[in-house]
Amino acid sequence: MALSDFEELLKSLQPHSLLPESLSRTDFTPLNLSVDNQELKSVDVGSVEELQKYVWQVMKLQNAKVAYGGYLEKRGIYRRSDYFNQEDPETERNIHLGLDLWIKAGTPVFSPLEGHIHSFKNNTNYGDYGPCIILEHHLNGFKFYTLYGHLSLESLIDKEVGTKIQSGEQIATLGIPEVNGNYPPHLHFQIIKDLQDYYGDYPGVSNKINLEFYSENCPDPNLLLGI
């Protein structure tokens, strides 16, 4: 399938790393948290401790410092939360729309592109983003947004809407489970074409019914990141 003009733009850009530049490509390993991963059958993915143990073990076995993946991945980890869970499998939100980077809490997060702060908020629903920042970008005739979820509370201090952000500027640090929605520490990174009047928040997980819209509105972040 041919890429759209916007997707071609994302591929053509040269972004700064989201994480410290001291990390090399060999420090990253793929992580499969889909319902099809048989290894997860023996893991209580509803427990942050058990899930973190599994994620960290995957990294240890691969001698990696970062685990990544998850775009359009159907996951079982959201069943623990009423915020996502529905009895009808058609409306249950369990298809992940961003790319996750799993690494220790406190890790600095950098803007991959120039832009400005659109909005920020602490989303406190169980299993939600926790502290979240959204940047707005205007590049090559395109307006779009990038979302950074599961941050530390300190990441929202002294933030102001409209502040200009340079490519490579540190914008946040990763939060601990107690503030990041109760997940093992990680960054949820998502690209959004139409923010639809959301402020400091945007759906990061879709149900089956709305997936066609959300997958079009939120293209694969790896088109930009190239991990």
Side-chain angles (χ1 to χ4, degrees):
M1 182 181 296
L3 296 178
S4 68
D5 289 344
F6 179 60
E7 290 171 323
E8 291 286 2
L9 168 69
L10 294 176
K11 284 191 66 176
S12 72
L13 297 174
Q14 295 183 319
H16 187 279
S17 173
L18 286 170
L19 301 178
E21 289 188 301
S22 58
L23 294 165
S24 68
R25 291 293 180 93
T26 59
D27 290 322
F28 288 71
T29 190
L31 178 68
N32 179 1
L33 292 181
S34 75
V35 294
D36 299 322
N37 183 354
Q38 294 303 309
E39 290 184 353
L40 292 178
K41 302 297 183 184
S42 60
V43 177
D44 179 7
V45 295
S47 163
V48 65
E49 293 83 10
E50 287 297 309
L51 182 59
Q52 178 165 308
K53 182 178 177 181
Y54 174 75
V55 173
W56 269 216
Q57 183 67 19
V58 169
M59 288 192 283
K60 182 178 179 180
L61 288 173
Q62 299 301 320
N63 196 28
K65 297 177 181 177
V66 187
Y68 73 94
Y71 180 65
L72 298 190
E73 193 171 68
K74 184 177 179 181
R75 294 173 166 179
I77 63 177
Y78 306 114
R79 291 175 185 154
R80 61 186 182 149
S81 172
D82 293 338
Y83 185 61
F84 298 99
N85 201 13
Q86 303 286 334
E87 292 186 6
D88 184 346
E90 295 291 310
T91 58
E92 179 184 359
R93 294 172 57 210
N94 56 13
I95 304 171
H96 191 248
L97 298 170
L99 184 140
D100 285 336
L101 296 166
W102 304 82
I103 190 172
K104 64 183 180 180
T107 298
V109 177
F110 303 87
S111 176
L113 304 167
E114 66 177 36
H116 67 265
I117 296 176
H118 172 274
S119 52
F120 53 92
K121 186 173 69 169
N122 187 8
N123 300 278
T124 57
N125 291 302
Y126 183 68
D128 207 336
Y129 289 127
C132 178
I133 296 172
I134 296 176
L135 302 184
E136 181 175 324
H137 309 277
H138 296 259
L139 294 170
N140 294 30
F142 288 91
K143 174 183 174 182
F144 62 99
Y145 305 85
T146 52
L147 180 149
Y148 310 79
H150 309 300
L151 308 175
S152 66
L153 288 171
E154 291 79 10
S155 300
L156 304 187
I157 295 175
D158 295 330
K159 289 291 189 292
E160 293 185 7
V161 170
T163 298
K164 187 173 182 179
I165 302 295
Q166 301 294 336
S167 175
E169 181 176 342
Q170 183 177 336
I171 57 171
T173 55
L174 294 184
I176 59 176
E178 290 79 3
V179 302
N180 77 356
N182 206 42
Y183 294 98
H186 72 288
L187 173 67
H188 173 101
F189 176 72
Q190 189 167 331
I191 298 172
I192 306 162
K193 292 195 288 187
D194 180 2
L195 199 57
Q196 301 176 275
D197 297 324
Y198 279 87
Y199 186 94
D201 186 21
Y202 190 82
V205 183
S206 175
N207 57 32
K208 186 176 179 181
I209 291 174
N210 296 321
L211 183 58
E212 182 177 358
F213 167 77
Y214 281 117
S215 60
E216 165 65 24
N217 196 43
C218 302
D220 187 351
N222 222 13
L223 290 169
L224 174 66
L225 302 180
I227 299 174

